Amino acid sequence: MLDRPFSLAQLRIVLVGTSHPGNIGGVARAMKNMGLADLALVAPRCEVRTSEAISRASGADALVAAAPIHASLDDAVADATLVVGASARSRTLPWPMFTPRQLSDALADELTSREARVALVFGREDSGLTNDELQRCHRHVCIPANPDFSSLNLAAAVQVLAYECRQAWLQDSPPGVNKNPRIDKEPATFGLEWDSPLASHDDLERFFTHLERALIAVEFHDPAKPRQLMARLRRLYLRARPDQMEISILRGILTAMEKKAKNAR
Ligand code: SAH
């Protein structure tokens, strides 16, 4: 058996606010064709396990039946170490972008540890992902389609990205290649050689909540006039991909700030 660079079970497809059961079935089929099985639904706006979903899944309906339904995006990606939002258009605040190929190229490094999880997040058929949802993602991925007609059907978008991920998985990984990311790659790889596991989405969201509270306490941030402060800080920290040790240092700094602010009052 070939030594695969990672397991496809480490990839999760997350559908937010889907409104057509047929699309959920179509996504399940696209996933199963590419060997993916981890499907999660966030607040679907339709009944999920309908005859239309089952018929469009044509044999992949077990994925629909097994898909957990979450109330929020945060719940669906809590354990993910890389969250990537799929979006056809760029939004008010530019965000670090992947092409589908760059995403698949990154997977082998991202998923060297078996605990690592990548979540690919897809939006609503009519309105995509909200800014708030996109600002919870480390990276965005855009399929470079016809600029005059760039929005793909949901299941088609999942198909394209799942295919790219499968191609990365199919790459043979001869022994020794990329086993030492410090030598072979730029430093921003988080393989076996990194000294602390990456922070999960859950760790990061708790950090952002703490950061906002501390910035209010020191009167740097006025929630009545938020401007884009928190969005810009999110982008900064998500771009840096903090590990668990770094997040705990940052939270220690925030706690010290809060204590000083409290004593000063
Ligand atoms: N009308 C919506 C697009 C909805 S398509 C909008 O303007 O945002 C449903 C979902 O499929 C999108 O939220 C996105 O996750 C995915 N998708 C569609 N086309 C895409 C593209 N070209 N690149 C990346 N994702 C795409």
Side-chain angles (χ1 to χ4, degrees):
M1 234 207 37
L2 280 170
D3 181 19
R4 296 290 177 210
F6 55 89
S7 159
L8 290 172
Q10 292 170 272
L11 280 169
R12 181 176 307 147
I13 300 295
V14 181
L15 305 183
V16 179
T18 312
S19 44
H20 298 295
N23 280 336
I24 299 176
V27 166
R29 180 180 187 175
M31 288 175 63
K32 192 169 175 184
N33 283 146
M34 296 300 119
L36 303 185
D38 187 354
L39 172 64
L41 306 172
V42 177
R45 292 179 295 162
C46 61
E47 222 191 300
V48 171
R49 286 151 199 137
T50 64
S51 57
E52 199 192 347
I54 293 167
S55 106
R56 282 281 304 279
S58 47
D61 47 293
L63 269 69
V64 181
I69 297 176
H70 298 279
S72 73
L73 175 59
D74 287 337
D75 290 344
V77 300
D79 59 341
T81 41
L82 178 70
V83 180
V84 181
S87 179
R89 18 181 202 121
S90 68
R91 307 293 169 126
T92 38
L93 196 58
W95 216 258
M97 291 290 297
F98 275 143
T99 63
R101 191 61 50 83
Q102 287 169 333
L103 166 68
S104 68
D105 285 347
L107 288 182
D109 284 331
E110 282 299 327
L111 297 174
T112 23
S113 126
R114 291 285 145 166
E115 292 76 52
R117 288 279 173 285
V118 172
L120 305 183
V121 183
F122 296 82
R124 300 158 189 80
E125 293 94 332
D126 50 353
S127 57
L129 293 164
T130 64
N131 285 333
D132 184 70
E133 287 156 354
L134 284 165
Q135 286 167 11
R136 291 173 134 66
C137 300
H138 293 93
R139 303 284 185 270
H140 296 164
V141 60
C142 179
I143 300 164
N146 175 2
D148 299 329
F149 196 65
S150 64
S151 173
L152 279 71
N153 164 266
L154 177 59
V158 171
Q159 184 75 79
V160 169
L161 296 187
Y163 172 79
E164 285 289 348
C165 294
R166 183 170 181 82
Q167 297 318 299
W169 179 75
L170 285 171
Q171 300 283 322
D172 303 353
S173 80
V177 169
N178 297 344
K179 289 277 153 59
N180 190 344
R182 276 193 198 147
I183 291 168
D184 293 345
K185 296 271 170 125
E186 291 300 302
T189 52
F190 302 97
L192 299 171
E193 300 290 310
W194 202 256
D195 61 345
S196 165
L198 279 181
S200 67
H201 174 84
D202 207 23
D203 299 330
L204 286 164
E205 287 308 315
R206 271 179 298 183
F207 165 67
F208 289 129
T209 304
H210 194 174
L211 178 63
E212 182 160 21
R213 198 171 67 221
L215 293 178
I216 293 169
V218 299
E219 293 175 7
F220 181 78
H221 174 44
D222 177 1
K225 283 189 224 118
R227 298 206 172 80
Q228 286 205 304
L229 178 69
M230 292 314 297
R232 287 183 183 279
L233 289 172
R234 274 180 171 277
R235 185 174 64 168
L236 168 68
Y237 285 106
L238 289 169
R239 192 167 80 229
R241 311 289 311 283
D243 65 35
Q244 290 175 11
M245 177 61 77
E246 290 160 346
I247 286 293
S248 90
I249 294 168
L250 287 167
R251 294 202 55 180
I253 296 171
L254 296 177
T255 303
M257 278 164 51
E258 287 177 315
K259 218 161 119 193
K260 280 275 181 198
K262 197 170 161 206
N263 291 343
R265 275 197 291 273

